[in-house]
C-alpha cells in the first residue's frame, strides 16, 4: 500500500511539472483540481487492492498427497485469492498416511510454503480396524509421489522459521478450524473422505458450519478406474464417502460439489506441458518429474496410453476459482454411494436415481409409493472446457495469471 501511494505521489509531481512548462496553458485551480482527482484515484485504487487481498478464501485441503494432488496443492499455493489454512493428510495414493503427510511437507517446502501445517489423519478406513489392502502405489509410485529423487537445490530450500502446531489429527483439525470460522471455510477433498467423515462425527454441526465442500471422487456415467463402477477415492473408503455425501448434500445442491471421473477425464496434461513447471521453482520441477511416472503407469496399469494423464484432483480447485469453466457441465442431483464388500465392483459406486417418478420425491422401491419429499442433492460436474482448464492451471502456477 505504501509503495502504491508513493508511486502515485511521484506521478502527481511529474504531472504538476508538466503543466507548468512554458507553452502549456494551465491555471493553478486546474492543477489543484487535477491533484485532488489523482489523489482520490490513488486512494480508491489502494483501497480496492487492499480489499481484494483481504478477501481471500480460507481453504482446508484434505489430501493423500500423490501426483495429481500435488497439482491441486500447487494451484492453491500459487493463487493469490486462496488462504491455505492447512492440510489434513489421508491414506490413498500411499497406504500409510504418514507417507502422504511426508509428501505434503516435501512439496510445501519445495514450493516455498514450509509453515503450512500438515496434520496426520486416520491410518484406516472409516469403521475399520486394519489398513486397506489396496492403495495407489501402482499409479503414484512406491513413495506415493512418483519416486522422484532429491532435486538440485531441494536440500537448500527454506524451512519454517517458527513452531507450527500439528498436534491435532486431521479430523480434529478440520472440526476445530471450521468451528473457529463458521460459515467461512471451504473444504477441498482430493483423497478418500475418511477424515472429513470423522470430523462430522466429532462435530455433527459441521455441515451447517462449513461454507462449501468440493470433492474429487466417484464415477456417474463414466466407467470406474479401480473397478467397473467405482473410482479410487470413493472405493478406498466407501463408508466415509457415503457419510460425507449424505451429510453435506442439501436442498439446493450448492453445499457439496462432486468432481467425478466424468469431468476429470476430459482434461489431459501431457509430459511436455508439465515440463513448463520447471520454470516454477523446485515445487514445479518436482511435479514435472513425477508426471513422467504418472503417465507411464497410466499406460502400463490402466492401459490408457499416450504421453498424458488426467489432472483429476485439480478440478475442485478449478471449480472454486473458475466456476465458469463448468458452465455447461453441471447437474444438481441426489447422489447415493454404494457400500458393499471391499474390492467388490459396486463398492463406492456413485448412484444417481434418474427415474421420472424419483423427480417427484423419495421412492419406496417395494411399493412404488412416492413421499413427495426430495432427497438432498449435490452439484455434480460432468463437463469442462478442458483447454481453458489447463490454461488456468498453468497460468496460475507459472505466475502468468
Amino acid at each position: 500500500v505504501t509503495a502504491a501511494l508513493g508511486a502515485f505521489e511521484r506521478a502527481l509531481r511529474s504531472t504538476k511539472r508538466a503543466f507548468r512548462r512554458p507553452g502549456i496553458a494551465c491555471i493553478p485551480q486546474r492543477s489543484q483540481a487535477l491533484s485532488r482527482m489523482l489523489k482520490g484515484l490513488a486512494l480508491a485504487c489502494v483501497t480496492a487492492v487492499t480489499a481484494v487481498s483481504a478477501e481471500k478464501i480460507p481453504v482446508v485441503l484434505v489430501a493423500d498427497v500423490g501426483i495429481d494432488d500435488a497439482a491441486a496443492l500447487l494451484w492453491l499455493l500459487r493463487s493469490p485469492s486462496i488462504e491455505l489454512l492447512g492440510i489434513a493428510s489421508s491414506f490413498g495414493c500411499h497406504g500409510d498416511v504418514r507417507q502422504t503427510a511426508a509428501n505434503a511437507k516435501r512439496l510445501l517446502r519445495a514450493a516455498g510454503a514450509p509453515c503450512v501445517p500438515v496434520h496426520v489423519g486416520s491410518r484406516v478406513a472409516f469403521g475399520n480396524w486394519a489398513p486397506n489392502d489396496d492403495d495407489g502405489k501402482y499409479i503414484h509410485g512406491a513413495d506415493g509421489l512418483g519416486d522422484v529423487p532429491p532435486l538440485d537445490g531441494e536440500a537448500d530450500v527454506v524451512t519454517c522459521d517458527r513452531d507450527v502446531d500439528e498436534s491435532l489429527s486431521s479430523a480434529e483439525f478440520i472440526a476445530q478450524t471450521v468451528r473457529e470460522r463458521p460459515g467461512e471455510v471451504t473444504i477441498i477433498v482430493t483423497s478418500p473422505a475418511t477424515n472429513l467423515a470423522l470430523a462430522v462425527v466429532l462435530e455433527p454441526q459441521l455441515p451447517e458450519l462449513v461454507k462449501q465442500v468440493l470433492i474429487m471422487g466417484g464415477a456417474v456415467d463414466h466407467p470406474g478406474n479401480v473397478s467397473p463402477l467405482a473410482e479410487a477415492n470413493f472405493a478406498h473408503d466407501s463408508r466415509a464417502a457415503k457419510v460425507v455425501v449424505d451429510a453435506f448434500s442439501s436442498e439446493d445442491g450448492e453445499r457439496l460439489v462432486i468432481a467425478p471421473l466424468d469431468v476429470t477425464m476430459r482434461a489431459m496434461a501431457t509430459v511436455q506441458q508439465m515440463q513448463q513447471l520447471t520454470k516454477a521453482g523446485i515445487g514445479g520441477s518436482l511435479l514435472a518429474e513425477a508426471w513422467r511416472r504418472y503417465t507411464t503407469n497410466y499406460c502400463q496399469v490402466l492401459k490408457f496410453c499416450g504421453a498424458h494423464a488426467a489432472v483429476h484432483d485439480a478440478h475442485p480447485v478449478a471449480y472454486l476459482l473458475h466456476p465458469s469453466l463448468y458452465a455447461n457441465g453441471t447437474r444438481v442431483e441426489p447422489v447415493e454411494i454404494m457400500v458393499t464388500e471391499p474390492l467388490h465392483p459396486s463398492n463406492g459406486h456413485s448412484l444417481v436415481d434418474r427415474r421420472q417418478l424419483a423427480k417427484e420425491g423419495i421412492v419406496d422401491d417395494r411399493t412404488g409409493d412416492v413421499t413427495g419429499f426430495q432427497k438432498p442433492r449435490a452439484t455434480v460436474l460432468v463437463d469442462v472446457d478442458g483447454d481453458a482448464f489447463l490454461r488456468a492451471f498453468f497460468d496460475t502456477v507459472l505466475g502468468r495469471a
Side-chain angles (χ1 to χ4, degrees):
V1 172
T2 302
L5 280 171
F8 272 105
E9 290 290 346
R10 289 191 295 273
L12 280 172
R13 289 195 293 270
S14 297
T15 303
K16 288 178 180 178
R17 286 196 298 270
F19 271 93
R20 292 184 183 125
R21 289 174 186 166
I24 297 180
C26 179
I27 61 174
Q29 289 85 350
R30 288 182 179 173
S31 181
Q32 291 171 5
L34 181 62
S35 295
R36 287 194 298 271
M37 182 185 70
L38 290 177
K39 282 184 178 179
L41 178 61
L43 289 172
C45 289
V46 170
T47 301
V49 169
T50 305
V52 169
S53 63
E55 292 175 359
K56 290 191 173 187
I57 305 168
V59 170
V60 169
L61 177 63
V62 185
D64 53 341
V65 175
I67 298 171
D68 55 332
D69 303 78
L73 178 51
L74 281 179
W75 200 340
L76 290 170
L77 290 172
R78 297 291 192 230
S79 175
S81 60
I82 296 296
E83 178 191 5
L84 184 58
L85 302 176
I87 297 175
S89 60
S90 306
F91 65 82
C93 293
H94 194 284
D96 190 337
V97 67
R98 294 167 296 184
Q99 180 61 47
T100 64
N103 291 347
K105 286 178 173 290
R106 180 185 181 187
L107 186 60
L108 287 169
R109 287 195 301 269
C115 294
V116 174
V118 178
H119 297 265
V120 178
S122 174
R123 300 185 186 186
V124 300
F126 189 82
N128 281 13
W129 58 271
N132 286 1
D133 294 330
D134 184 33
D135 63 18
K137 292 196 294 288
Y138 60 95
I139 294 293
H140 294 268
D143 69 351
L145 193 56
D147 300 324
V148 179
L151 302 175
D152 290 343
E154 189 174 353
D156 302 322
V157 296
V158 65
T159 57
C160 188
D161 58 359
R162 62 179 184 273
D163 292 333
V164 177
D165 184 6
E166 299 174 330
S167 59
L168 298 177
S169 69
S170 288
E172 291 170 324
F173 167 66
I174 294 168
Q176 176 175 295
T177 301
V178 175
R179 282 193 201 110
E180 291 174 348
R181 302 179 67 167
E184 296 182 25
V185 178
T186 295
I187 298 175
I188 292 178
V189 186
T190 62
S191 67
T194 311
N195 293 296
L196 183 52
L198 290 170
V200 172
V201 174
L202 292 175
E203 176 48 83
Q205 296 301 312
L206 199 68
E208 285 70 44
L209 296 172
V210 76
K211 182 176 182 180
Q212 192 175 41
V213 171
L214 302 101
I215 184 168
M216 188 276 131
V220 180
D221 297 325
H222 196 280
N225 59 3
V226 293
S227 79
L229 295 173
E231 175 275 334
N233 283 343
F234 281 10
H236 284 156
D237 195 342
S238 59
R239 289 190 187 91
K242 181 173 179 57
V243 168
V244 165
V245 170
D246 288 351
F248 291 94
S249 293
S250 60
E251 184 177 349
D252 60 13
E254 293 182 359
R255 187 167 59 191
L256 176 64
V257 178
I258 302 174
L261 294 178
D262 305 65
V263 71
T264 67
M265 293 298 289
R266 293 180 179 272
M268 299 287 170
T270 67
V271 170
Q272 183 178 5
Q273 286 174 313
M274 282 295 187
Q275 285 304 300
Q276 299 175 73
L277 298 181
T278 57
K279 302 173 185 176
I282 297 173
S285 297
L286 178 56
L287 176 56
E289 288 303 310
W291 205 256
R292 296 180 183 276
R293 167 60 67 92
Y294 196 44
T295 56
T296 298
N297 289 346
Y298 243 67
C299 181
Q300 292 179 350
V301 178
L302 300 179
K303 308 306 179 187
F304 193 90
C305 296
H308 56 254
V311 199
H312 298 289
D313 289 339
H315 282 271
V317 180
Y319 184 80
L320 177 63
L321 296 173
H322 306 285
S324 62
L325 295 174
Y326 304 85
N328 299 317
T330 60
R331 300 199 305 237
V332 179
E333 297 179 314
V335 179
E336 187 170 350
I337 307 302
M338 299 293 97
V339 179
T340 58
E341 292 297 318
L343 304 182
H344 189 279
S346 66
N347 189 49
H349 174 50
S350 310
L351 176 65
V352 175
D353 190 348
R354 297 197 182 91
R355 293 176 295 177
Q356 185 63 36
L357 75 168
K359 295 180 181 180
E360 301 175 9
I362 298 174
V363 181
D364 185 332
D365 292 327
R366 297 167 298 177
T367 65
D369 294 338
V370 181
T371 64
F373 296 100
Q374 286 289 339
K375 286 185 177 181
R377 300 180 294 172
T379 295
V380 181
L381 308 181
V382 294
D383 199 4
V384 65
D385 184 337
D387 292 338
F389 165 86
L390 291 174
R391 280 197 303 272
F393 169 71
F394 286 112
D395 284 350
T396 301
V397 176
L398 292 170
R400 299 190 304 228

